[in-house]
Amino acid sequence: MKVLLDLQYLNVATTGIKTYMMELAQAALDFPHPEIEWIFSHDPKSQAADQTFKNPESKFQRLNYHLDYFRWKEFQLPDLVKKVQPDILICPDFVSPAASLPCKRLTVIHDAFFWQMPQNYPLWWRKYFLSLIRKGLKEDTKIITTTEYSKQALIKYLGNSLPIDVIYQSPKSISKEVDQLLIKKYSLDRTPYFLHVGTFDKRKNLPLLVEAFEAFLKSQEEAFKLVLAGGPGQSVQMNDYPLIERLILEKGLEDRVILPGYISDAQIRSLYQHAFAYVFPSENEGFGIPILEAMREGIPVIHSDQEALMEVSGSAGIAFKTGDLSDLAEKMILLGREKAFREELVKKGLQRSKEFSPQHFIEAFQHLILNAAPRI
């Protein structure tokens, strides 16, 4: 079987989708199957490093990117399919070409956010992108998604005329390199801290975490800190960063809440290694990679009871009622007081994280690819 993996979107992909694409490509190389030949549309590392369209500073730059993306999906990718003649095309970024193709398609739709949370996206862009998604769902297409929760959400909005399979992904492979710069700068080796890594999108509900942290501090004699690593939300509608800054000032938490911005993988790993606990208060997720990353590093996890997060964490994390400030604060207090409970969560998390390995990830794709030989 000849499989073409579309990696063009890596030139702008961030967070979850970038991790998905990079881990899938690397797992295909690390765990080859004798009956599958992988062809990458782009070299993963060089495409991910391309800065041409990253962080556009004007509407003109954003328009140029959208035109480039459209040209790729609707003209260049179909031409590449004709050239290499794959049996299967995998598009891991929601969109497959609208053109008819002489091969089967596996299109990854990670979540249903575009349908569930329209208020978080510019109206014109959302309509345009949803149109691209729908036009590519044709012919011999199978949809791949990340959790059973996402599958049921997609069935609600797309119907069940196309088959949808769930494949659990693996978390980001973090380099063994460790950069202690932030640990030393903020004296985090001497102060216990709660951690969150990711963008400040509204659905992440980080203002709730800041307020719960304030309530937690009032119950503690020991000085704790909160580290919120990552950059602003991906659009004005989605961005909670300014609100977080205001909350910190209003509550007098300037010395307690740390906003280091975007940081390197080596710095992320050092934060994981020293953290007291990881907190993930998100209102909506398609998967929840940070839960597994934290568990893999031996950190107990507190997360909202959102369905995808419950599915991924199993019973290895502490769940609080989504959006409930007092419940989140209580769970943080519980973790601070119960040392044995914390140690039990660490053991459960380490075991749970092993179930989401790169090998399991690619084997699920290999099974699907080989079974697609007769038909999808």
Side-chain angles (χ1 to χ4, degrees):
M1 295 285 288
K2 188 184 291 187
V3 179
L4 174 60
L5 177 59
D6 174 15
L7 296 175
Q8 192 267 355
Y9 187 66
L10 277 174
N11 64 347
V12 294
T14 58
T15 59
I17 297 181
K18 180 179 180 181
T19 296
Y20 192 101
M21 296 173 74
M22 293 295 289
E23 293 304 314
L24 177 57
Q26 190 59 50
L29 296 174
D30 291 342
F31 303 99
H33 191 287
E35 297 179 45
I36 299 174
E37 176 189 354
W38 287 89
I39 301 169
F40 296 165
S41 66
H42 300 74
D43 175 75
K45 292 182 179 179
S46 61
Q47 186 68 0
D50 182 6
Q51 297 295 312
T52 305
F53 296 108
K54 282 188 170 69
N55 303 316
E57 297 179 358
S58 69
K59 291 182 178 179
F60 181 73
Q61 288 175 312
R62 287 192 289 271
L63 177 60
N64 273 343
Y65 166 69
H66 289 304
L67 290 173
D68 181 76
Y69 185 80
F70 183 82
R71 280 194 301 269
W72 169 257
K73 285 292 184 180
E74 306 306 340
F75 299 99
Q76 294 169 305
L77 182 55
D79 284 345
L80 183 59
V81 168
K82 292 177 183 177
K83 179 180 178 181
V84 303
Q85 298 184 343
D87 298 289
I88 294 176
L89 169 66
I90 299 179
C91 292
D93 61 337
F94 290 83
V95 177
S96 178
S100 293
L101 300 176
C103 64
K104 304 179 189 299
R105 313 179 194 212
L106 300 180
T107 300
V108 183
I109 301 183
H110 298 256
D111 49 60
F113 294 165
F114 300 115
W115 294 275
Q116 293 172 323
M117 298 179 290
Q119 70 278 8
N120 286 356
Y121 305 94
L123 179 61
W124 70 268
W125 183 88
R126 178 176 172 270
K127 287 185 176 180
Y128 163 73
F129 198 68
L130 287 179
S131 175
L132 287 182
I133 291 174
R134 289 183 181 278
K135 288 178 179 178
L137 297 178
K138 59 193 300 182
E139 300 170 336
D140 284 332
T141 294
K142 173 168 279 192
I143 297 172
I144 309 299
T145 195
T146 53
T147 55
E148 289 294 336
Y149 164 75
S150 290
K151 177 178 178 177
Q152 294 308 313
L154 290 174
I155 289 174
K156 177 180 177 180
Y157 294 103
L158 295 176
N160 56 6
S161 60
L162 291 174
I164 303 177
D165 273 41
V166 174
I167 293 181
Y168 289 140
Q169 67 188 91
S170 60
K172 185 176 183 178
S173 299
I174 300 179
S175 168
K176 293 182 180 180
E177 183 181 352
V178 176
D179 184 344
Q180 300 282 352
L181 176 65
L182 295 176
I183 301 300
K184 294 176 181 177
K185 180 178 180 180
Y186 298 107
S187 301
L188 295 175
D189 52 343
R190 299 194 297 271
T191 306
Y193 61 92
F194 292 93
L195 175 65
H196 181 278
V197 179
T199 59
F200 285 69
D201 286 353
K202 287 185 181 297
R203 65 183 174 84
K204 299 293 185 180
N205 218 359
L206 294 180
L208 180 83
L209 175 52
V210 172
E211 296 193 69
F213 178 65
E214 180 193 31
F216 167 82
L217 287 176
K218 293 176 181 178
S219 73
Q220 300 295 311
E221 295 182 3
E222 189 174 4
F224 274 75
K225 290 185 178 181
L226 171 64
V227 179
L228 304 177
Q234 297 180 38
S235 70
V236 174
Q237 291 94 330
M238 296 167 65
N239 185 24
D240 259 346
Y241 194 89
L243 175 57
I244 293 293
E245 289 184 311
R246 289 198 302 272
L247 273 176
I248 292 171
L249 289 174
E250 289 171 5
K251 297 180 178 300
L253 296 173
E254 296 94 327
D255 295 331
R256 295 293 184 189
V257 181
I258 298 168
L259 306 176
Y262 286 114
I263 58 178
S264 68
D265 286 351
Q267 290 171 338
I268 290 174
R269 185 153 198 212
S270 70
L271 287 176
Y272 276 136
Q273 289 182 344
H274 291 85
F276 176 78
Y278 192 94
V279 187
F280 202 35
S282 182
E283 294 180 340
N284 198 1
E285 293 291 327
F287 188 75
I289 290 174
I291 283 181
L292 298 176
E293 291 180 344
M295 288 179 175
R296 182 180 59 190
E297 296 294 327
I299 307 169
V301 175
I302 301 173
H303 60 83
S304 63
D305 63 358
Q306 190 267 343
E307 292 177 58
L309 301 185
M310 296 291 288
E311 185 177 338
V312 170
S313 72
S315 60
I318 310 177
F320 74 93
K321 186 176 180 181
T322 301
D324 191 320
L325 190 157
S326 61
D327 194 25
L328 173 54
E330 286 175 10
K331 296 302 190 295
M332 295 170 75
I333 292 168
L334 173 65
L335 204 59
R337 290 177 177 170
E338 301 292 337
K339 183 178 179 181
F341 180 51
R342 183 176 181 277
E343 292 174 349
E344 180 185 352
L345 285 175
V346 168
K347 292 179 182 178
K348 287 183 176 181
L350 288 169
Q351 188 61 38
R352 180 63 173 169
S353 67
K354 293 176 183 178
E355 299 177 30
F356 296 83
S357 68
Q359 186 169 357
H360 289 164
F361 184 29
I362 195 63
E363 283 177 351
F365 263 100
Q366 290 168 346
H367 177 76
L368 203 59
I369 288 166
L370 294 175
N371 284 342
R375 65 178 182 84
I376 289 186

